Amino acid sequence: MPKASEVKKNTAIEYNNSVYIIRDIERSVPQGRAGGSLYRMRMYDVVTGAKVDHTFKDSEMLTLADLIRRQAMFSYLDGDELVFMDNEDYTPYNLNKESIADEVQFIDENTQGIQVILVDGSPAGLDLPSSVELEVVETDPSIKGASATSRTKPATLSTGLIIQVPEYISTGDKVKVNTAEQKYMSRADAK
């Protein structure tokens, strides 16, 4: 049983007789109060999809839920659901677009390293790799002679995500994006 201060995003916990996936964690340190930090966690019920915000003290013990991570690939969009296919046994996993809104902006049909999080056999969320490669579909023309350390410009990626890229990047280039920080890392290696 970990303390609230040790829990990370996309962890499944048991709370109030339900299983929740933690989507976001905000740490705060109250002024003039002896003791530790507070952790405000935004959680989603894996069965109903209901959103719950709850604040835990840093030393509060949380019960981890039994979850399994399966390697999968994005397969297709079915209405409001994205369908992922298990890389080993081809089991389809349907996830509502709204419940994985933060992750969707990094996923296209070529994204590798996606893990579907299963709680009691049902898909409950996604774990993304630390970086993904996406194509730039729209940006201002590249500037000849622009150095790698110069100014940046906005670029729209194939998933609709807009990030800042160096001026030498042009439409059609593939770029590596840090999924945690939503930031440009480098030009993707040409294969």
Side-chain angles (χ1 to χ4, degrees):
M1 284 179 58
K3 294 179 182 173
S5 60
E6 300 166 343
V7 173
K8 306 262 184 273
K9 273 175 70 168
N10 288 330
T11 302
I13 63 167
E14 290 178 13
Y15 173 73
N16 278 353
N17 299 322
S18 293
V19 176
Y20 292 91
I21 292 270
I22 298 169
R23 288 281 180 235
D24 200 31
I25 301 172
E26 286 178 30
R27 179 176 176 256
S28 62
V29 182
Q31 293 294 328
R33 203 183 128 230
S37 307
L38 296 177
Y39 290 84
R40 181 180 171 83
M41 298 185 188
R42 172 157 289 166
M43 309 180 292
Y44 287 86
D45 187 310
V46 297
V47 177
T48 65
K51 180 176 75 173
V52 174
D53 285 349
H54 187 75
T55 303
F56 297 96
K57 293 182 181 133
D58 60 354
S59 59
E60 227 173 303
M61 300 303 269
L62 302 177
T63 305
L64 294 180
D66 188 25
L67 62 87
I68 299 168
R69 295 175 195 279
R70 298 285 298 179
Q71 289 288 335
M73 272 192 85
F74 172 63
S75 189
Y76 60 94
L77 183 63
D78 182 14
D80 283 343
E81 296 198 327
L82 279 81
V83 181
F84 294 85
M85 199 68 70
D86 191 297
N87 286 359
E88 288 176 29
D89 62 13
Y90 305 109
T91 303
Y93 302 116
N94 293 35
L95 285 160
N96 186 293
K97 198 189 293 186
E98 199 176 293
S99 70
I100 55 169
D102 291 345
E103 290 87 354
V104 167
Q105 56 195 348
F106 297 105
I107 298 170
D108 67 12
E109 57 279 351
N110 300 317
T111 306
Q112 301 289 317
I114 299 170
Q115 290 186 326
V116 173
I117 301 167
L118 302 174
V119 178
D120 297 330
S122 300
L126 289 180
D127 247 358
L128 293 175
S130 59
S131 67
V132 294
E133 293 183 4
L134 296 170
E135 185 178 342
V136 175
V137 293
E138 186 184 327
T139 189
D140 293 335
S142 63
I143 298 169
K144 284 215 182 306
S147 70
T149 58
S150 67
R151 297 185 305 267
T152 62
K153 61 185 179 180
T156 304
L157 305 180
S158 57
T159 60
L161 178 66
I162 298 173
I163 62 167
Q164 292 293 317
V165 297
E167 288 181 332
Y168 63 84
I169 297 292
S170 53
T171 300
D173 285 351
K174 277 195 161 255
V175 294
K176 204 174 209 177
V177 182
N178 179 313
T179 55
E181 298 176 7
Q182 296 187 16
K183 287 186 179 165
Y184 169 86
M185 291 171 68
S186 66
R187 187 181 260 163
D189 297 332
K191 291 186 172 87

